[in-house]
Amino acid sequence: MNSRCRQGMWGAIAALTLSLGTGLANAEPPHGGPGPRPGFNHMDARFGHNHYYPSRGYVVGALPRDRIAVGGGRYFYSGGVWYAPRGPRFVVVGPPIGFYVPVLPAFYTTVWFGGVPYYYANDTYYQWVPAENQYEVVAPPGDDSAAQVQPPPVEGSGGPAVGPSGDDLFIYPKNGQTDDQQAKDKYECHKWANGQSGFDPTVSGGGVPPDQNASARASYNRAMTACLEGRGYSVK
């Protein structure tokens, strides 16, 4: 490579570096996740959740591409983080109680109060509402000391209920998948396995009659295993 070509190449790299550096202020804001990363200043350690999120009051110039408009655009939801418009920008806010979302955050913790499951992430509790076919943002259901983080056994299942990531499955990323990619893959495989088996571990009793729980749960686990192995994971 002659000197003129080398100079042109390094000039292009320098320009790209400058462009990336000056564009950070307008970059897509972060989702909830394991962090820490720029903007992830809030560590949610309740119930052993142990994930970082943007602090409330954090201002961003653009919303994530997968955001969901809630309340006619009064709020936006993405990855367990809630945003509200503030002029031309958006600010991270507390969750609006009583609003519904179609999906749970990729990272969440199942917490049981009085035998009822709640789904927890980023200081927020969600509860499945069958009539709406969505998850409702609810007030804290009780004192933390009354919570059971490990779900109780489902009658007839022969073991504990499982979450979308397959709580009774050991999953190892063989191809070095990032935490965000793992969460996305597990959630998408959960949706597919739910469709194949009719079993949904995110709702009480799996959403099936008690006498079908064991077989439906086994079908769900088989489908989860097949889906995850097809995406480059080792599942035991």
Side-chain angles (χ1 to χ4, degrees):
M1 181 182 296
N2 59 42
S3 60
R4 179 173 295 180
C5 289
R6 281 196 297 271
Q7 290 173 355
M9 179 185 70
W10 287 114
I13 292 173
L16 176 60
T17 302
L18 178 61
S19 173
L20 290 173
T22 56
L24 286 176
N26 295 317
E28 181 176 297
H31 299 276
R37 285 179 275 170
F40 280 59
N41 299 318
H42 171 54
M43 169 57 156
D44 183 358
R46 183 178 292 174
F47 307 123
H49 185 64
N50 297 337
H51 280 78
Y52 284 88
Y53 296 91
S55 298
R56 292 173 189 177
Y58 182 76
V59 177
V60 299
L63 291 170
R65 286 187 293 272
D66 65 352
R67 82 275 189 176
I68 298 169
V70 181
R74 291 161 54 196
Y75 298 96
F76 295 89
Y77 164 85
S78 174
V81 183
W82 289 84
Y83 305 87
R86 291 292 186 273
R89 295 175 175 269
F90 303 88
V91 62
V92 175
V93 298
I97 303 297
F99 281 67
Y100 293 90
V101 293
V103 296
L104 290 171
F107 301 96
Y108 70 87
T109 300
T110 304
V111 184
W112 295 74
F113 285 87
V116 177
Y118 294 81
Y119 308 103
Y120 174 87
N122 193 19
D123 299 318
T124 306
Y125 295 85
Y126 301 85
Q127 191 170 32
W128 175 249
V129 180
E132 299 290 338
N133 197 35
Q134 296 190 86
Y135 298 91
E136 182 182 7
V137 179
V138 298
D143 186 85
D144 289 359
S145 63
Q148 290 180 288
V149 179
Q150 292 298 323
V154 176
E155 183 178 355
S157 70
V162 297
S165 61
D167 290 346
D168 62 349
L169 300 176
F170 294 92
I171 302 167
Y172 178 78
K174 295 192 296 184
N175 298 328
Q177 295 93 327
T178 65
D179 287 334
D180 283 347
Q181 185 63 47
Q182 290 178 53
K184 179 176 183 292
D185 289 339
K186 290 174 185 178
Y187 180 74
E188 290 179 352
C189 284
H190 153 68
K191 297 297 289 185
W192 183 77
N194 170 231
Q196 294 294 308
S197 65
F199 183 85
D200 186 351
T202 68
V203 301
S204 181
V208 298
D211 61 337
Q212 298 177 18
N213 189 282
S215 61
R217 181 170 177 267
S219 296
Y220 172 89
N221 281 350
R222 286 195 298 270
M224 275 288 290
T225 299
C227 180
L228 289 166
E229 288 181 343
R231 295 188 179 208
Y233 296 84
S234 173
V235 184
K236 303 295 183 182

